Amino acid sequence: MMAKCSIAPSVEPLFQSFNGLQYLAETCRFKAWFLDQFGVLHDGKQPYPGAISTLEKLATTGAKMVIISNSSRRASTTIEKMKNLGFDPSLFAGAITSGELTHQYLQRRDNAWFAALGRSCIHMTWSDRGAISLEGLGLQVVENVEEADFILAHGTEALGLPSGVVRPMNLEGLEKILECCATKKIPMVVANPDFVTVEARALSVMPGTLAAKYEKLGGEVKWMGKPDKIIYESAMAMVGVDASDSIAVGDSLHHDIKGANAAGIQSVFITGGIHATELGLHSFGQVADISSVQPLASKYDACPTYVLPAFTW
């Protein structure tokens, strides 16, 4: 059953304390926790204070933890990155990423929409972050829009070339290509629906920004991740639980919380992530004013069940 859109009086003191997560873990006894990574567990460079120990304590409750991320990387890459950041991979039942879902759907093509896609694509990818491999998908990367059947958006830094290398390109350059694609009316698959992400307290532009631009141009977009419920349903299937036994934790009202709402599961909104500036927060663990959180949630048409400053025990 979907939780009501309100912050219950009993939650307010937890919002003002660092032991809020302990209360949820030990009192509500959720069987599965679906955890966003950027802005919740780490900032892309290092774990947030207390994140690793909180995961270890959460594991002692018997709950299964799944990383659900709008990352355009494959799930195995995400787990490896978590390991490199100091997280113990054995704490997680697995990871489901937008990039993994995109790869699987493009590979299987057992979905009517994907079955109708051609094999030639304009590939928008990463440069400094490392390009995304399309190996095993049977795709032909093209530069000429006239030869393309669809757009595949993994990143916002470069254009993939038929040779397999990438050409660094700024956002403006990629948007000009989108204008040509919109004229041809070819669809887009976006393998990372995030608009921005937190990196060492700064915000970086993500592929969802390109997808939103393409929709404004009249283009058709297949959003492969949060806030679509597809990623939450995949997570529930992975650990064998239903919505009533699940809770999602995230820092994006539009993606994490709205997605949890769509999937019918409860959620924890972490205020110290991408919305920190909007909430007037300047340091880790700083508590947001509830009177500021409520109108912000309404702005994004999102309904968090609980509100906490950080993923701490």
Side-chain angles (χ1 to χ4, degrees), residues 4 9 26 38 80 82 154-155 159 172-173 182 202 222 233 241 256 259 262 270 286 304-305:
K4 293 182 178 179
E26 296 180 347
F38 289 90
E80 185 63 25
M82 296 296 288
H154 274 116
L159 184 69
E172 183 180 359
K222 177 65 75 172
E233 291 174 342
V241 301
D256 302 309
I270 302 298
Q286 185 179 352
T305 317

Side-chain angles (χ1 to χ4, degrees), residues 15 18 201 271-272 279-288 308-310:
F15 170 63
F18 285 111
R201 301 287 301 175
T271 57
L279 292 168
L281 305 177
H282 306 289
S283 60
F284 178 81
Q286 185 179 352
V287 177
L308 299 174

Side-chain angles (χ1 to χ4, degrees), residues 44-184:
K45 306 294 183 182
Q46 60 186 1
Y48 285 121
I52 292 177
S53 62
T54 298
L55 285 170
E56 292 171 343
K57 291 173 182 176
L58 194 55
T60 65
T61 68
K64 297 178 180 178
M65 292 174 283
V66 179
I67 296 171
I68 57 168
S69 172
N70 274 354
S71 169
S72 49
R73 306 285 173 186
R74 300 287 302 277
S76 58
T77 303
T78 293
I79 291 294
E80 185 63 25
K81 177 170 184 175
M82 296 296 288
K83 180 180 179 180
N84 292 338
L85 286 173
F87 293 90
D88 180 358
S90 69
L91 292 173
F92 305 103
I96 297 179
T97 66
S98 296
E100 184 66 41
L101 288 175
T102 300
H103 188 93
Q104 291 178 5
Y105 273 73
L106 283 171
Q107 188 174 58
R108 295 196 310 258
R109 292 186 177 246
D110 53 2
N111 169 282
W113 194 90
F114 280 89
L117 284 179
R119 295 284 177 175
S120 299
C121 70
I122 295 288
H123 188 210
M124 296 181 175
T125 185
W126 300 113
S127 174
D128 294 342
R129 292 167 175 263
I132 305 290
S133 172
L134 303 183
E135 186 178 355
L137 295 180
L139 298 178
Q140 179 183 0
V141 175
V142 298
E143 291 183 76
N144 188 342
V145 172
E146 292 304 316
E147 299 175 1
D149 298 314
F150 69 101
I151 310 156
L152 179 55
H154 274 116
T156 61
E157 296 175 343
L159 184 69
L161 302 179
S163 63
V165 300
V166 301
R167 178 190 300 146
M169 187 173 292
N170 61 24
L171 204 62
E172 183 180 359
L174 294 175
E175 289 179 342
K176 287 181 179 179
I177 294 174
L178 290 182
E179 291 174 2
C180 297
C181 292
T183 300
K184 192 186 175 188

